[in-house]
Amino acid sequence: MHRKVVIIPTYNEKENIEKIIRAVYALDCGFHILVIEDGSPDGTATIVKKLQTEFPEALHMIERKGKLGLGTAYITGFKWALEHGYDYIFEMDADFSHNPEDLPRLYAACAEGGADLAVGSRYCNGISVINWPIGRVIMSYYASAYVRTVLGMKVYDTTAGFKCYSSRLLSTIDLDKVRMKGYGFQIEMKYTAYRLGFKIIEVPIIFVDRKEGTSKMSSGIFGEAFWGVLRMKFRKFHPRKA
């Protein structure tokens, strides 16, 4: 039986965090959860601590002082997951834009389909996004097209944040050298996996914009991704030295 952990970064997610945790455990597929909590002033951490008494073996939390960025949250989670012997490590948002019921499909793409990275893809079967303004859909879709063109990576949803990694992949990447902090982090991780020769499979999902809480998207995040992609094209990628 593979050990599986879902990493969920949080900042001000009191409306969603208990519901998303219960939804993952309702799958009854043996998933553990690691919450990376960035000092939410709304009491998100308090809710998680209360739930830890109900799920003492399966629910974990790392509290950080302040909002340190999506990329650093996941890097912290990846290192923790590898240290604790998990075989498959997932990224998932707290706000239900990613449907927890798709977790087993991402897992199957790796455990049965031979992928080292399974990507929950909004764009591999047309455009599967609900509740986004059309301008944001167009911007996201063409951002992925831009990344594919510049980097030559055959992944339709290059900015997707719903993913399953094998521990083999994450232990090969030098996580201390991952440079991008915002949504560009999602591109960098996929491109690193691609350049190191790992198998990537896109799993079609339907992305639903959050119903509760507020989005963390900003123009600065897109700026980092735009320029970071150009720099990435000329970088050398080497496996982490054991």
Side-chain angles (χ1 to χ4, degrees):
M1 183 71 172
H2 294 131
R3 300 192 70 218
K4 308 178 288 293
V5 64
V6 181
I7 301 172
I8 304 177
T10 56
Y11 184 78
N12 285 349
E13 291 289 356
K14 69 176 183 181
E15 297 95 344
N16 295 305
I17 191 61
E18 179 168 356
K19 287 182 277 190
I20 198 79
I21 287 170
R22 291 193 182 281
V24 172
Y25 291 145
L27 296 170
D28 197 27
C29 295
F31 290 104
H32 288 191
I33 294 172
L34 171 64
V35 175
I36 309 292
E37 209 325 271
D38 270 8
S40 300
D42 71 346
T44 298
T46 302
I47 297 169
V48 176
K49 286 173 184 172
K50 181 181 175 186
L51 289 168
Q52 282 181 306
T53 64
E54 187 176 341
F55 306 105
E57 302 297 322
L59 179 57
H60 311 277
M61 179 167 63
I62 295 174
E63 294 186 79
R64 307 196 302 170
K65 295 191 188 315
K67 208 173 170 187
L68 301 176
L70 183 77
T72 66
Y74 278 126
I75 294 295
T76 297
F78 294 160
K79 290 179 176 179
W80 182 93
L82 292 173
E83 287 168 6
H84 288 79
Y86 286 94
D87 302 299
Y88 292 100
I89 299 100
F90 297 75
E91 294 183 14
M92 190 173 75
D93 290 347
D95 61 9
F96 284 93
S97 54
H98 303 146
N99 185 346
E101 292 183 7
D102 288 325
L103 286 168
R105 297 172 60 230
L106 293 178
Y107 169 61
C110 289
E112 299 167 19
D116 283 289
L117 172 55
V119 178
S121 179
R122 298 163 290 185
Y123 305 132
C124 66
N125 276 357
I127 298 176
S128 300
V129 176
I130 295 174
N131 292 344
W132 265 8
I134 188 64
R136 188 167 172 188
V137 173
I138 291 169
M139 183 166 58
S140 174
Y141 181 81
Y142 282 103
S144 279
Y146 161 75
V147 173
R148 281 199 309 278
T149 302
V150 172
L151 299 181
M153 179 172 56
K154 294 179 177 64
V155 174
Y156 283 94
D157 195 347
T158 57
T159 61
F162 191 20
K163 298 187 283 187
C164 174
Y165 299 88
S166 70
S167 59
R168 185 172 79 105
L169 168 54
L170 289 182
S171 60
T172 300
I173 294 173
D174 189 341
L175 296 172
D176 291 325
K177 290 188 176 176
V178 176
R179 300 177 185 181
M180 298 175 81
K181 301 292 189 290
Y183 282 78
F185 164 83
Q186 305 292 9
I187 302 167
E188 184 172 359
M189 289 297 293
K190 294 181 190 73
Y191 188 55
T192 303
Y194 168 74
R195 286 291 301 272
L196 293 176
F198 286 94
K199 183 177 181 180
I200 303 172
I201 290 178
E202 288 188 87
V203 176
I205 63 161
I206 296 174
F207 180 96
V208 181
D209 196 22
R210 65 162 63 236
K211 294 186 176 70
E212 299 185 81
T214 56
S215 173
K216 315 303 188 293
M217 184 63 69
S218 72
S219 59
I221 285 170
F222 274 101
E224 181 211 40
F226 180 86
W227 295 110
V229 165
L230 291 175
R231 288 191 291 270
M232 216 182 296
K233 182 174 177 62
F234 300 103
R235 268 174 55 197
K236 294 179 179 177
F237 289 84
H238 303 289
R240 183 176 67 86
K241 291 178 180 161

